[in-house]
DNA sequence: CCGTGTCAAGAGCGCCGCTCTCGATTGCGT
DNA sequence: ACGCAATCGAGAGCGGCGCTCTTGACACGG
């Protein structure tokens, strides 16, 4: 609730800075993001921008957080809890890919190489796991609906408790082996998108959409969905 | 065959530059690679380095090429063509992961976000596909040894001819559906390694080695190995 | 031994992140 | 309503960056 003129101006300018930074991200990439260029385009002197973001990395962190939130919201909105598990899975995966293709540079910022001296901002974690949480919910709902095959009983991996909670919660059909497959499917989703976006697939498949769908269905099959 | 003193000196200094650059890569990352710093550490003036590499990007390209070759060689050496297909697959995957963990910044250079404004020279392709070729050979050998289940016949994806050649060649057990699974497994391998290396798994699994092995075995199962 | 080509060095251009100082403006508490 | 403190934009400046151009020294093939 910004009431005073100063607070309103501050919020407005902050938004302008992040918007311009996002635009610059799309043209020069994360490593090339220049606070001076943002200031120039904003008609401000570079030092003034430091009133709003104490450093270039803080601005980058802001963009990362916004990116995770935007992608997370996209995934959450795409999920239809009433649909069949396999369809839910595919739909969410498609939504994630669509967002990535529409915002390649933001995606690269989130899932590419960590930027320079790389900060470990703990406060990005809640935003970062939103997509994984949606996928985990699909898995957990399927288990609770009895639509997941019984767990094999053979467990060679141990998943941390907090992660298990996100990956569908407790259920007899969900042991750590199944949860580990969930992690694999999660990273495979992003691995596939990254390979497509970063050019490792160029010339390999003729219909990227069909390949992605087939791949995600294979992953769903692996999960028993 | 450098014979003249000049040629020998040039080759030597070129090697020194790439070595120092690789070392700097490990400390500051690709985005922070500075030609001036390399020159400084070499006791040269920055402009002199430009006699050896016309630009910072050319030096980077060299490092990328060397990286792909090093990783490719690692994968090739790890593969034991006499072993069982599933074991070959796991062994190669482990070797790739081991190299990635030992050379995280080089790995990030190869499989992380593309460097902004940096064009991927076409001559990196042969080096880049070496790992995929090893994995494809495992698949193809398994097919030719009759150790791959028959193809389903249901094909929804089309793989380019050149890629199909790399992915095991021609065999009745290898249709484009199987090959697409090969591409999925390939990108999943690197997706899993990237997630581990870039910190997306932190706190999720307690034993990263066991998780990776389980994940790669799951992928092998998906491929029918 | 001499001309040619290669080399390191230096100066310089415009960019960067970031800091500090200095007036101007704003707004809160009195 | 007013004065003091917080906030703001501007400017100058620091060191470092990639990259270019010029200069003088050196090695080498003819």
């Amino acid at each position: 609730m910004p009431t005073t003129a100063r607070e309103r101006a501050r919020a407005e300018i902050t938004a302008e800075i992040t918007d311009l930074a996002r635009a610059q991200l799309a043209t020069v990439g994360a490593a090339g993001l220049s606070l001076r260029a943002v200031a120039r385009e904003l008609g401000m002197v570079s030092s003034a921008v430091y009133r709003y973001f104490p450093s270039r990395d803080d601005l980058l962190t802001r963009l990362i957080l916004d990116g995770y939130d935007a992608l997370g919201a996209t995934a959450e909105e795409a999920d239809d809890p009433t649909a069949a598990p396999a369809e839910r899975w595919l739909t969410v995966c498609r939504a994630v890919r669509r967002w990535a293709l529409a915002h390649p540079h933001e995606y690269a910022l989130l899932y590419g190489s960590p930027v320079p001296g790389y900060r470990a901002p703990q406060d990005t974690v809640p935003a970062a796991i939103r997509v994984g949480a949606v996928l985990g919910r699909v898995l957990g709902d399927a288990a609770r609906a009895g639509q997941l095959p019984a767990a094999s009983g053979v467990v060679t991996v141990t998943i941390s408790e907090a992660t298990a909670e996100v990956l569908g919660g407790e259920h007899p059909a969900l042991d750590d082996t199944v949860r580990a497959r969930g992690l694999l499917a999660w990273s495979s989703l992003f691995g596939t998108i990254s390979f497509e976006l970063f050019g490792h697939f160029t010339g390999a498949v003729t219909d990227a959409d069909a390949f992605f769908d087939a791949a995600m269905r294979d992953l769903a099959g692996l999960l028993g969905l």
Side-chain angles (χ1 to χ4, degrees), chain A:
Chain A
M1 294 293 158
T3 76
T4 95
R6 201 168 250 165
E7 276 172 331
R8 242 181 305 117
R10 181 169 187 86
E12 225 167 90
I13 295 184
T14 303
E16 278 183 54
I17 292 176
T18 57
D19 284 350
L20 274 173
R22 230 185 312 276
Q24 201 183 95
L25 203 66
T27 66
V28 294
L33 201 166
S34 148
L35 237 156
R36 282 176 120 111
V38 171
R40 208 179 305 123
E41 232 161 317
L42 216 124
M44 278 210 297
V45 94
S46 74
S47 58
V49 178
Y50 284 84
R51 300 268 183 208
Y52 298 86
F53 291 93
S55 81
R56 177 185 171 279
D57 281 8
D58 285 85
L59 175 55
L60 222 53
T61 300
R62 177 77 218 196
L63 295 182
I64 291 178
L65 250 162
D66 288 355
Y68 275 130
D69 272 328
L71 176 57
T74 299
E76 286 164 11
E77 283 164 21
D79 185 29
D80 171 16
T82 67
E87 286 314 306
R88 286 178 70 182
W89 171 267
L90 182 61
T91 303
V92 173
C93 288
R94 278 173 171 164
V96 172
R97 173 169 176 262
R98 221 177 303 119
W99 187 91
L101 293 178
H103 308 87
H105 291 89
E106 280 181 84
Y107 176 87
L109 184 62
L110 303 180
Y111 294 99
S113 2
V115 201
Y118 112 108
R119 47 169 58 250
Q122 201 62 22
D123 42 332
T124 65
V125 172
I129 60 173
R130 284 177 68 175
V131 171
V134 173
L135 298 176
R137 203 146 45 231
V138 173
L139 197 63
D141 288 353
R144 271 176 288 281
Q147 297 181 292
L148 217 58
S152 69
V154 185
V155 172
T156 62
V157 190
T158 56
I159 306 294
S160 87
E161 210 150 325
T163 306
E165 192 50 50
V166 174
L167 279 174
E170 274 305 325
H171 189 276
L174 292 174
D175 61 8
D176 277 0
T177 296
V178 177
R179 294 195 189 100
R181 279 204 196 100
L183 285 181
L184 168 61
W186 177 49
S187 64
S188 295
L189 161 63
F190 287 100
T192 303
I193 293 176
S194 293
F195 260 37
E196 177 178 358
L197 225 54
F198 299 165
H200 295 280
F201 276 150
T202 41
V205 300
T206 56
D207 186 342
D209 291 358
F211 167 74
F212 181 81
D213 278 11
M216 293 307 111
R217 283 189 212 276
D218 280 341
L219 290 179
L222 190 69
L223 290 174
L225 294 177

